[in-house]
Amino acid sequence: TYPLHHGLLSQHIASQNSAHLSKEVVSKTQLPEIFIHEETYEFDFVKKPPFRIRLLEIAKNQFIILFNFHHVVIDNRSLCILMREIST
């Protein structure tokens, strides 16, 4: 996050244990609404990290992992590396 400190933004690095990923059980019919929400999500750098990761269970043993990054934290090259790593 980037909280204000004496009127200036400062970077705060969260501890490893602060990350939490929970499974959300959703129906396939909810996916368009979820995707639109993520596409229009406004990041609040002061209160929350500039990225979001959601694990959506759409059926028994069928999942979608949804990454939403603000462009300040990932570039195309890094995104390609991430996609290659999670697809192998």
Side-chain angles (χ1 to χ4, degrees), residues 6 8 10 20 23 37-38 46 73 79:
H6 300 294
L8 300 171
S10 60
H20 178 71
K23 177 179 67 174
H37 173 76
E38 289 301 321
V46 174
V73 295
L79 184 59

Side-chain angles (χ1 to χ4, degrees), residues 24-80:
E24 301 173 50
V25 179
V26 300
S27 69
K28 290 181 182 180
T29 59
Q30 291 176 285
L31 291 177
E33 182 181 334
I34 291 169
F35 295 155
I36 289 169
H37 173 76
E38 289 301 321
E39 183 178 31
T40 58
Y41 181 80
E42 293 187 25
F43 290 97
D44 181 353
F45 294 168
V46 174
K47 297 178 183 173
K48 297 181 180 179
F51 64 91
R52 290 165 49 96
I53 303 172
R54 296 173 70 179
L55 180 62
L56 309 176
E57 182 177 17
I58 56 172
K60 186 166 177 70
N61 296 321
Q62 290 185 342
F63 298 90
I64 294 174
I65 188 160
L66 183 60
F67 294 93
N68 187 356
F69 297 101
H70 191 279
H71 67 92
V72 301
V73 295
I74 196 162
D75 61 9
N76 191 50
R77 182 179 175 138
S78 301
L79 184 59
C80 289

